[in-house]
Amino acid sequence: MLTPLAAIKSVFRNYATLAGRAPRSEFWWFTLFQVVLYVVVMVLGALGVGNSPEPDSVPPSMAIALGIAVVVGLGLIIPNITVYVRRLHDADFSGWLYFLACIPYLGVIVMVVFALLPSQPNGARFDAAPNTGSAMPDWNTSTTLS
């Protein structure tokens, strides 16, 4: 089980890596990190809500907070996708199942269930191939058709 800081570091270290696996602790600590980050941004934005120039307009502090939240969200899109694909691999599912999230309502529920599933030993099939240091392919070139 990873510590919160180790999990967050692991996600950012592998921010664009789809191969391999992510244990539940890595996925959920990173999810909690994001929730806390967004809550802090929104609370800071809400501190200046009373300073609205007009009663029906969005206060400047909340507009800035929403802008920051959008920028943070855009910056975390790739790490979110890759950690979820690696989480699916750890539960021994294909990363292509990530596209189930596109189904309204039901897709989100299915994705949460997949994220809650325990690690499976068969998920090792998704691990990255070890670096052998050889430029030669793993297959036997003498048996291929010419």
Side-chain angles (χ1 to χ4, degrees):
M1 184 166 159
L2 293 173
T3 63
L5 189 57
I8 294 166
K9 283 181 181 179
S10 175
V11 170
F12 285 119
R13 190 177 323 110
N14 299 313
Y15 76 95
T17 304
L18 294 171
R21 298 180 283 171
R24 281 189 291 189
S25 59
E26 180 179 348
F27 177 82
W28 288 111
W29 281 123
F30 184 67
T31 302
L32 180 64
F33 164 74
Q34 292 178 84
V35 169
V36 168
L37 186 65
Y38 288 122
V39 167
V40 166
V41 168
M42 288 300 131
V43 166
L44 290 176
L47 290 176
V49 167
N51 300 332
S52 179
E54 297 178 17
D56 293 336
S57 67
V58 176
S61 63
M62 191 52 94
I64 292 171
L66 288 172
I68 291 171
V70 167
V71 169
V72 167
L74 289 173
L76 292 176
I77 285 176
I78 292 175
N80 272 315
I81 292 171
T82 58
V83 76
Y84 202 93
V85 167
R86 290 193 318 267
R87 178 70 203 114
L88 285 169
H89 289 171
D90 191 50
D92 195 28
F93 292 105
S94 171
W96 289 104
L97 288 176
Y98 180 80
F99 289 110
L100 289 175
C102 297
I103 301 170
Y105 308 113
L106 180 65
V108 174
I109 294 169
V110 170
M111 298 310 282
V112 169
V113 170
F114 278 144
L116 290 171
L117 292 174
S119 299
Q120 298 294 327
N122 291 340
R125 66 188 172 114
F126 295 106
D127 287 347
N131 186 1
T132 61
S134 172
M136 295 300 295
D138 288 338
W139 66 88
N140 186 354
T141 55
S142 64
T143 60
T144 59
L145 297 174
S146 298

